[in-house]
Amino acid sequence: MGFGRSRAERSQAATASGHGHVIQVNGDGNMVCASGPEHPTPMLRLPAEPTHLAGREKEAEDVLALLAPSSRARATPVVSVLSGLPGIGKTALALHVAHQAVARGWFPGGALFLHLRGHDPAGPVGAEEAIGTLARALCVEDAMTPDEQTGLCQAALNRLADEGRAVLLIADDASSAAQIERLVPARSAHRLLVTSRHLLTGPSFQARLFGLDELEPRGAADLIAEALRHARPDDPRLRETDAIAELAGHCGHHPLALQIAASLLTTDPGRAIVELVAELADAHTRLDVLRYEDGGHTTAVQAAFHLSYQRLLPHHRQLFRQFALNPGPDTGTDAAAALWGQPRARTRNGLAALARAGLLAEQPVGSGRWRMHDLLRVYAARLVEGDSATWRNAAFARLLKHCQKLVQAANAHLHTIDDGPLPDDFRDRAHAVQWLEDERANLMALIARAAMTGHPRAVLDLQEKMRPFLLSRRSYATEAVTVSQLAVDCAREIDHPCCEATALNYLSQILPDCGRVEEAVEAASKSLDISRSRGDRARQATALTSLGAALQRAERFEDAVKAHTESLTVSRELGDQGCIGKALMGLADTLHETRRYDEATDVLNESVRHFAAMDDWHAEGLQLMRLGDTLFAMKQSAEAVETVRRALALYQERGDEHHQAIALQNLWSVSDLSAEEAVDNYQRLVAICHKVWDRALESVALNALGDRLKQLNRYEEAVAAYREAAAIHEERDEERLLLKVLNSLGIALRTAGRITEAVEVHEREIELARARGDMHKEAEALERLATTLRCGRRRLQAVEARIKAVGIYREQNDTWCEDRTLADLGLRVRDAPRAERTRAGYTWVLANLPSNNALGEEGRTLAALMVMQMRAGHVIAAFWAWVTMIKCLCRLQDEGVDEAPWQYIRTVTQLSKTSLQGAHPFRAFIALRNRFRRPTT
């Protein structure tokens, strides 16, 4: 008996015309060997190409680049492996690429699709059976042993390579490298494309690895829309783009889930998309909804996940389930080790095993941060619910303890007050800040989960330790308010009034950054009431200080001074040096804010002496810098510089580089430095800020550095500084500050002659201002764009930009800015003879033009501008206004506004009548004669 073919399989072979053989291979199709029996020639066939492959264009091009004939001349691996979680679309991509490659003539020998059933419940195809299938497809005679069969297949492939007939082999759903090692062609003319849920590697198996992730949001929505369009081109649900995008989001942009959702919609044309979205909104039942049954055949996302889960080792299954107990978007290796209760090295190996199985991904690679797809997380959460509550609570408690320890260590690095040793969990301040940035979303989710699952004391502890970091960045104010409110609720839950008063006190400090000043006053007042009712004088002093700060933000300065004064009195009665210092700081800030500089100076001097006596050098330095600002405001520049120098020396003596940078910034703000000195100093400040990871101060220093470089005409360096500052503001979601730096960057680029880049920056500025709803900033940015366009000799676009700015200013009733912009357009309505008369004429023309013409407000402005420029004799400016209006008309025609030409003709007619009214031909003739008359002595 020949090896590799059972009796049933041999019975399927039949003689075809031309002495060929017809062989049924795994139900995928007929393979016909069309030549004679001595030298049979394979004719290989692929399954049909998938109908929809939205969102995989880039991946398809990358794989095709490895299959292209040009790649075979390079040292390109013969084997490529497409890997990813179940249902991610590996097979669809492989078939699409294969059909494309064959259609382009890259594989004259054909292509063969082998389904290896790596995750089939009935078991995978063995290595011997796989090589037997390949042998039959190549019309190779049976052999006695697997090695002989492999040798015959390689000989057949080599013969095809010599004939210039390259072959593409596709091994679908492989479960291990051993399953496909015998299929690897020996000659580089051929290619083997493998799909697998696992990362297939091995000492004797070298392959190019392609990891597939979920689709981008747009590609995911396109996949659903294309399926609906393919089934019914006139489906009215195609217009519900927002609902389709939301549906794709609930599917986690996962291709299999998207296909199931599309099938549920196409087979039920009366089903509204919003109904399916509502069903998928509940994460607990989402996997039950993503299930499609057709004639006894069921396709389900959960079933695909379950096959991969069952192949895991028992301890890896446990790690997979526990991973879902972390509520954040990703999990660090140390946090996973705390959850699992295992050493870090073993945890890393376990996470790597889950990643090889396609159930996890390290993003980015080497970062130690692991991410699970949203649907997989839902699946894991459902599995972990089957474990005992005691086991789950123990794992979650370990995670809480781990995070509390690290947050405390990071906080110690951020706010070094004493000279004691710092925790060795982090190398330095920059490392601690980076960890907090990376873990912020996880920590916020962890606090919320702890509040819901009965860990109120952990919530109070984490909230207190996270507060300084959250307060350091304005964009985190909303999150800080959320966790503070959770802390208030948890304190009430455990009936602990002291903790409630403290949490309300913290809440009052954060609410003003969210614009909720009155709520801050209310929270501080409640904290004060609780402290007074319990006779807690220490917390009463603290609450009074917070109340004073909130009242100051509410601009109730007299009440703020009273609150700080009362806090100072209570603190002195208690002899609490810490509270005395805080009360002095708050009182000094309020007095400085109200410009009562003499009183503020006295209080600041007292606070400096107070902190020096306490040996609190950190607070002493801060108060010295505040005193320097106050002295500078009092025009005492020399004393201000000397005071800030004292603060700088204090921080230098203690080796606090972070506050050295703050002191340097304050020193240069009160010093009269030359531009050259300022550049050197700000470069030094940027370096220090970058080292200690103070991104906020670094952006301030970069902005100041760019300004000084611009003064020295070093525009290229200024552009680089502004770009770095803009990157920091984008990273920190500081849109207001980003707008400011984009303004400076655009001007610097224009001055440097880089017009195209300057235009892009101004357009970004306009887009950002519009998104923020800041119309005035948008109009100013449009003016800057117009100036840049004019420098680039793009006059028409410049006129368009300024006309848009005019419309915005008119809408805001900002006459001064409108007149300035009109003057830039050539209409002298400011600081010119007869300016008032010109302005009145412009307004009169606007009032007499039809308000509903097709050209809209932009066209009306252009028309009025053109009339008044003609009447003023500014022919060139009127010409550009007319050309811009024609361009506007053409654009409307392109957009399908059929009424635009007729409306334009009516507008021109109206303009003709308007321009003739009030015209004085004799005066115009006299003015023209006077212009060309030869001057007399």
Side-chain angles (χ1 to χ4, degrees):
M1 176 185 288
F3 170 78
R5 187 186 300 182
S6 65
R7 185 184 302 275
E9 289 172 328
R10 287 199 309 276
S11 67
Q12 295 179 19
T15 303
S17 60
H19 304 288
H21 300 288
V22 180
I23 306 175
Q24 182 73 24
V25 181
N26 288 335
D28 292 325
N30 292 331
M31 309 297 175
V32 181
C33 304
S35 58
E38 294 185 2
H39 298 288
T41 302
M43 292 181 62
L44 311 179
R45 197 174 104 182
L46 288 170
E49 185 176 3
T51 308
H52 312 301
L53 195 73
R56 290 292 189 208
E57 292 79 9
K58 183 181 183 303
E59 291 88 344
E61 289 300 322
D62 291 341
V63 178
L64 279 169
L66 283 181
L67 302 182
S70 59
S71 70
R72 298 168 200 172
R74 307 189 301 268
T76 306
V78 174
V79 185
S80 300
V81 179
L82 302 179
S83 63
L85 68 155
I88 204 66
K90 302 178 292 293
T91 302
L93 178 61
L95 285 174
H96 171 77
V97 168
H99 277 277
Q100 291 289 317
V102 171
R104 297 179 186 184
W106 293 352
F107 294 97
L112 173 65
F113 183 90
L114 300 172
H115 184 28
L116 302 183
R117 303 194 307 269
H119 295 81
D120 195 300
V125 172
E128 294 81 2
E129 186 179 352
I131 194 63
T133 302
L134 176 60
R136 289 189 295 278
L138 294 173
C139 299
V140 171
E141 294 297 329
D142 290 340
M144 297 299 295
T145 66
D147 291 337
E148 291 177 358
Q149 191 78 79
T150 303
L152 291 174
C153 287
Q154 292 293 350
L157 289 171
N158 292 342
R159 184 172 62 253
L160 290 171
D162 293 336
E163 295 171 0
R165 301 174 62 193
V167 173
L168 173 62
L169 305 178
I170 301 173
D172 182 56
D173 196 18
S175 59
S176 65
Q179 193 180 15
I180 56 175
E181 281 181 342
R182 295 180 179 275
L183 301 176
V184 178
R187 300 279 285 273
S188 61
H190 307 298
R191 288 290 185 266
L192 173 60
L193 185 59
V194 184
T195 71
S196 176
R197 300 182 186 185
H198 296 262
L199 289 175
L200 301 181
T201 57
S204 59
F205 183 76
Q206 303 296 323
R208 175 68 59 87
L209 304 179
F210 283 91
L212 294 186
D213 209 340
E214 65 266 22
L215 298 175
E216 293 295 325
R218 182 172 181 177
D222 288 345
L223 193 150
I224 296 176
E226 185 60 32
L228 293 175
R229 188 178 295 107
H230 183 78
R232 296 178 183 84
D234 58 346
D235 195 326
R237 294 174 295 182
L238 287 167
R239 294 191 290 269
E240 303 174 24
T241 54
D242 291 341
I244 291 176
E246 190 175 359
L247 175 61
H250 282 318
C251 292
H253 307 131
H254 184 276
L256 178 59
L258 294 167
Q259 290 167 359
I260 292 174
S263 298
L264 293 173
L265 292 173
T266 54
T267 55
D268 187 357
R271 187 176 196 173
I273 297 178
V274 291
E275 292 180 7
L276 183 56
V277 169
E279 293 180 42
L280 292 172
D282 187 356
H284 296 289
T285 59
R286 187 171 299 166
L287 293 179
D288 296 329
V289 177
L290 291 173
R291 178 186 182 92
Y292 181 77
E293 296 184 2
D294 181 20
H297 177 70
T298 301
T299 304
V301 175
Q302 181 168 323
F305 292 164
H306 190 67
L307 290 174
S308 293
Y309 173 75
Q310 288 295 328
R311 291 179 58 85
L312 295 175
L313 297 174
H315 58 286
H316 289 159
R317 292 183 195 173
Q318 183 189 62
L319 177 59
F320 175 77
R321 297 195 305 273
Q322 284 183 320
F323 198 91
L325 293 175
N326 179 20
D330 58 10
T331 303
T333 304
D334 292 326
L339 270 173
W340 201 19
Q342 298 293 334
R344 189 183 192 281
R346 187 182 181 193
T347 303
R348 170 81 198 194
N349 292 335
L351 293 170
L354 293 179
R356 287 195 297 273
L359 301 175
L360 211 61
E362 186 180 17
Q363 295 180 345
V365 176
S367 64
R369 308 202 62 78
W370 305 84
R371 178 181 172 273
M372 184 181 285
H373 188 272
D374 293 344
L375 294 178
L376 268 173
R377 184 178 289 276
V378 172
Y379 174 67
R382 175 173 291 188
L383 291 176
V384 81
E385 287 177 359
D387 296 319
S388 70
T390 303
W391 182 82
R392 293 198 308 269
N393 290 335
F396 189 70
R398 288 195 300 269
L399 178 62
L400 278 174
K401 185 176 180 181
H402 164 78
C403 291
Q404 287 175 271
K405 173 179 175 292
L406 287 182
V407 171
Q408 183 174 359
N411 204 29
H413 280 272
L414 262 65
H415 304 279
T416 52
I417 297 177
D418 52 36
D419 296 326
L422 292 171
D424 58 1
D425 299 275
F426 302 101
R427 297 185 300 273
D428 49 26
R429 183 181 187 278
H431 186 202
V433 173
Q434 186 62 57
W435 182 84
L436 285 169
E437 293 284 0
D438 294 340
E439 290 288 348
R440 177 182 56 83
N442 287 315
L443 291 168
M444 295 301 102
L446 187 68
I447 292 172
R449 175 72 65 85
M452 290 188 298
T453 54
H455 297 84
R457 295 189 181 278
V459 172
L460 293 168
D461 182 61
L462 278 171
Q463 180 267 156
E464 183 175 2
K465 291 183 171 69
M466 284 290 294
R467 185 178 61 91
F469 169 70
L470 295 175
L471 285 174
S472 67
R473 183 179 293 190
R474 192 181 185 89
S475 59
Y476 293 162
T478 303
E479 294 176 351
V481 167
T482 301
V483 296
S484 295
Q485 288 173 332
L486 286 173
V488 172
D489 295 338
C490 288
R492 289 171 181 166
E493 179 185 337
I494 61 177
D495 194 20
H496 202 306
C498 294
C499 290
E500 182 183 353
T502 301
L504 283 167
N505 184 40
Y506 291 156
L507 182 61
S508 71
Q509 298 172 16
I510 301 166
L511 282 169
D513 288 335
C514 296
R516 299 160 63 179
V517 179
E518 292 303 325
E519 292 178 64
V521 173
E522 183 182 354
S525 299
K526 287 181 180 178
S527 178
L528 180 59
D529 292 340
I530 293 173
S531 303
R532 281 176 173 165
S533 66
R534 296 182 58 82
D536 191 335
R537 301 275 285 170
R539 280 191 170 82
Q540 182 180 339
T542 302
L544 282 165
T545 300
S546 297
L547 177 60
L551 289 167
Q552 178 186 338
R553 296 289 293 272
E555 297 185 357
R556 294 162 57 181
F557 297 113
E558 291 303 321
D559 293 338
V561 169
K562 290 179 183 177
H564 285 307
T565 304
E566 185 180 351
S567 175
L568 183 58
T569 302
V570 174
S571 300
R572 283 172 174 164
E573 290 174 1
L574 294 172
D576 189 328
Q577 301 301 313
C579 287
I580 291 173
K582 291 177 181 177
L584 287 169
M585 292 170 68
L587 180 58
D589 281 342
T590 305
L591 293 170
H592 181 94
E593 187 76 14
T594 54
R595 299 186 179 183
R596 295 158 63 176
Y597 296 130
D598 291 331
E599 297 174 71
T601 301
D602 294 337
V603 175
L604 284 165
N605 279 316
E606 183 182 354
S607 66
V608 168
R609 292 191 296 270
H610 173 80
F611 288 120
M614 290 178 60
D615 197 26
D616 187 347
W617 55 270
H618 179 266
E620 180 186 355
L622 292 176
Q623 292 305 98
L624 281 168
M625 287 188 285
R626 190 60 168 160
L627 177 58
D629 290 339
T630 305
L631 291 169
F632 185 73
M634 297 171 67
K635 310 298 184 184
Q636 300 179 24
S637 300
E639 293 84 349
V641 170
E642 181 60 31
T643 302
V644 180
R645 286 191 185 279
R646 286 171 56 194
L648 178 60
L650 191 64
Y651 291 130
Q652 286 174 336
E653 180 184 345
R654 302 287 181 164
D656 188 339
E657 290 186 317
H658 179 219
H659 284 88
Q660 282 182 50
I662 297 173
L664 284 170
Q665 170 66 19
N666 278 267
L667 176 61
W668 298 330
S669 66
V670 300
S671 301
D672 186 15
L673 298 175
S674 67
E676 291 81 0
E677 291 176 310
V679 166
D680 293 338
N681 287 326
Y682 279 115
Q683 285 175 339
R684 175 186 170 197
L685 177 59
V686 168
I688 294 175
C689 292
H690 189 76
K691 180 179 179 181
V692 299
W693 200 256
D694 188 339
R695 304 289 278 169
L697 186 55
E698 185 180 356
S699 65
V700 172
L702 284 165
N703 271 310
L705 175 61
D707 293 341
R708 299 304 188 278
L709 288 166
K710 202 160 54 173
Q711 290 176 8
L712 295 172
N713 298 329
R714 294 160 61 178
Y715 296 112
E716 295 297 336
E717 295 173 76
V719 166
Y722 287 134
R723 285 199 186 278
E724 288 186 49
I728 293 174
H729 292 317
E730 285 189 299
E731 171 193 316
R732 294 167 59 85
D733 297 325
E734 296 170 337
E735 293 183 346
R736 182 181 61 83
L737 296 174
L738 178 58
L739 271 172
K740 181 179 178 182
V741 75
L742 286 176
N743 173 12
S744 301
L745 174 59
I747 294 173
L749 284 166
R750 181 209 309 157
T751 313
R754 295 159 65 175
I755 301 299
T756 303
E757 295 174 74
V759 168
E760 291 175 357
V761 169
H762 288 311
E763 287 175 344
R764 171 80 173 98
E765 186 183 357
I766 293 166
E767 178 186 348
L768 187 59
R770 186 177 298 134
R772 286 172 53 84
D774 192 337
M775 297 181 67
H776 200 273
K777 291 289 185 186
E778 181 184 351
E780 290 178 343
L782 281 165
E783 287 192 80
R784 286 189 287 273
L785 174 62
T787 302
T788 302
L789 289 168
R790 188 175 177 84
C791 291
R793 300 182 181 276
R794 294 157 66 177
R795 292 178 179 272
L796 286 178
Q797 292 171 282
V799 172
E800 286 184 51
R802 280 206 168 89
I803 288 296
K804 290 177 182 176
V806 168
I808 293 174
Y809 288 137
R810 185 182 305 117
E811 184 179 346
Q812 294 184 308
N813 296 318
D814 190 341
T815 308
W816 193 91
C817 289
E818 182 185 357
D819 287 351
R820 181 192 64 202
T821 312
L822 287 170
D824 291 336
L825 284 164
L827 190 62
R828 298 176 181 177
V829 291
R830 287 184 55 206
D831 303 328
R834 297 189 298 238
E836 293 182 3
R837 182 177 175 182
T838 306
R839 176 47 137 149
Y842 170 77
T843 306
W844 185 83
V845 173
L846 269 181
N848 283 273
L849 285 174
S851 59
N852 59 344
N853 63 0
L855 297 177
E857 186 66 26
E858 182 180 349
R860 295 179 72 249
T861 305
L862 282 165
L865 183 66
M866 185 172 61
V867 169
M868 294 308 298
Q869 285 169 338
M870 287 294 293
R871 294 185 67 178
H874 302 150
V875 180
I876 295 177
F879 169 76
W880 286 114
W882 178 75
V883 173
T884 306
M885 189 158 59
I886 294 296
K887 183 180 177 183
C888 179
L889 176 67
C890 294
R891 185 174 67 246
L892 288 171
Q893 282 187 294
D894 291 341
E895 293 173 359
V897 182
D898 296 332
E899 290 296 318
W902 298 107
Q903 291 282 4
Y904 175 68
I905 292 172
R906 286 195 289 270
T907 300
V908 170
T909 304
Q910 182 73 22
L911 279 175
S912 301
K913 295 178 181 178
T914 304
S915 60
L916 289 174
Q917 294 180 26
H920 302 282
F922 184 71
R923 281 189 198 171
F925 174 76
I926 295 299
L928 185 63
R929 185 200 65 179
N930 291 338
R931 180 178 298 180
F932 291 101
R933 175 181 289 177
R934 180 176 297 177
T936 59
T937 57

